[in-house]
Amino acid sequence: MTALSTASAASAPRRLTEGDRIWRVVRLQYVNWRSALMLPWAILIGILLVNMTIWYLISSTAGPDTTTNTQYTGSIFYLLIYQAILAMQLMNATFSFALGLSSTRRDYYLGTSVWFLLHSAQYTVGVVLLSYIEQWTNGWGVGGHMFQTVYFGTGPLGERLFTIFFALLGALFLGSIFGAVYVRWRANGLYVTGAVLVAAVLGVLTIATLTDSWGAIGRWFAGTGPFGLVAWSVPLTALCAVIGFVALRRALPRS
């Protein structure tokens, strides 16, 4: 009898801990790894090749000094926009499936947040490495700027890592709000959220215009710099994470 009990206990499946359940969600988010990892890099490299062609044509016809203003290019912002859209798509694609595997909403959101951290770290390493390659090659040989722009700075390694990492993380958690809203309220929720966001932006623009504050705002942005701006965004990223979790708490899985 004792031997049978021992054998039954040994054959019984191990009960999953909270860490196991969270890590299972992390692994789930990597199922569609092509869209999460391969496609953004492929598009980013394509954008770089197009930019290099344009920079070469400019420098060969108008002189090498004409590419100086490329430090204001907005090409790298594609990556931030893609991360926000990716977060929304992932939550819509995996939420119901994860709950079907007995994950709780809390486990799902924590696992997704861990995935956001890992994903941001992976892309940060790649973007920072490309920024140094761009620096060492004098702008890919034509003086161009794509990864060394004024928006992300050209400071020491620590500043570059911090700026890129938290910029990516902020984009992901902003996208998680829209993803959670869509999972819970579907398209109607997105319409309302979009309307509220547009109204808030218009309100800020109106106040800045009526109070003639644009000069002060411009000086603040110029004085704060890219590192300072991203540092200021960290509390906003944390707020987005909380809002996303609150929106997801009572969401129902859908087939």
Side-chain angles (χ1 to χ4, degrees), residues 1 13 79 96 102 114 141 143 151 166 171 207 215 221 226 228 250 252:
M1 187 68 179
L79 192 58
S96 297
S102 302
V114 172
Y151 314 109
F166 281 103
I207 293 172
F221 273 95
R250 299 185 184 278
L252 298 175

Side-chain angles (χ1 to χ4, degrees), residues 38-54 75 78 130 146-147:
M38 300 297 294
L39 182 60
W41 281 120
I43 296 175
L44 196 66
I45 296 302
I47 293 173
L48 175 61
L49 293 176
V50 171
N51 282 338
M52 288 174 64
T53 302
I54 296 173
S75 300
Y78 143 77
L130 287 171
M146 179 169 167
F147 302 98

Side-chain angles (χ1 to χ4, degrees), residues 150-174:
V150 296
Y151 314 109
F152 295 101
T154 56
L157 176 61
E159 288 189 10
R160 297 190 194 192
L161 291 172
F162 178 89
T163 303
I164 299 297
F165 176 79
F166 281 103
L168 290 169
L169 194 64
L172 286 167
F173 274 113
L174 178 62

Side-chain angles (χ1 to χ4, degrees), residues 69-126:
N69 290 332
T70 58
Q71 61 184 313
Y72 297 96
T73 180
S75 300
I76 194 64
F77 281 102
Y78 143 77
L79 192 58
L80 301 180
I81 296 172
Y82 186 92
Q83 300 311 310
I85 296 173
L86 177 64
M88 179 179 171
Q89 291 177 335
L90 282 178
M91 296 186 75
N92 179 50
T94 61
F95 175 74
S96 297
F97 187 71
L99 265 62
L101 295 176
S102 302
S103 295
T104 65
R105 291 165 181 79
R106 181 174 179 271
D107 294 336
Y108 175 79
Y109 198 78
L110 288 175
T112 303
S113 298
V114 172
W115 187 88
F116 287 167
L117 292 169
L118 296 175
H119 187 72
S120 297
Q122 291 166 343
Y123 270 86
T124 297
V125 172

Side-chain angles (χ1 to χ4, degrees), residues 190-212:
L190 287 182
Y191 298 150
V192 173
T193 303
V196 171
L197 182 61
V198 170
V201 172
L202 289 176
V204 172
L205 295 177
T206 300
I207 293 172
T209 301
L210 293 177
T211 59
D212 196 21

Side-chain angles (χ1 to χ4, degrees), residues 25-62:
V25 174
V26 175
R27 294 176 60 190
L28 174 64
Q29 301 293 19
Y30 275 112
V31 169
N32 192 12
W33 60 272
R34 290 181 179 84
S35 295
L37 297 176
M38 300 297 294
L39 182 60
W41 281 120
I43 296 175
L44 196 66
I45 296 302
I47 293 173
L48 175 61
L49 293 176
V50 171
N51 282 338
M52 288 174 64
T53 302
I54 296 173
W55 297 333
Y56 175 77
L57 292 174
I58 293 174
S59 63
S60 62
T61 56

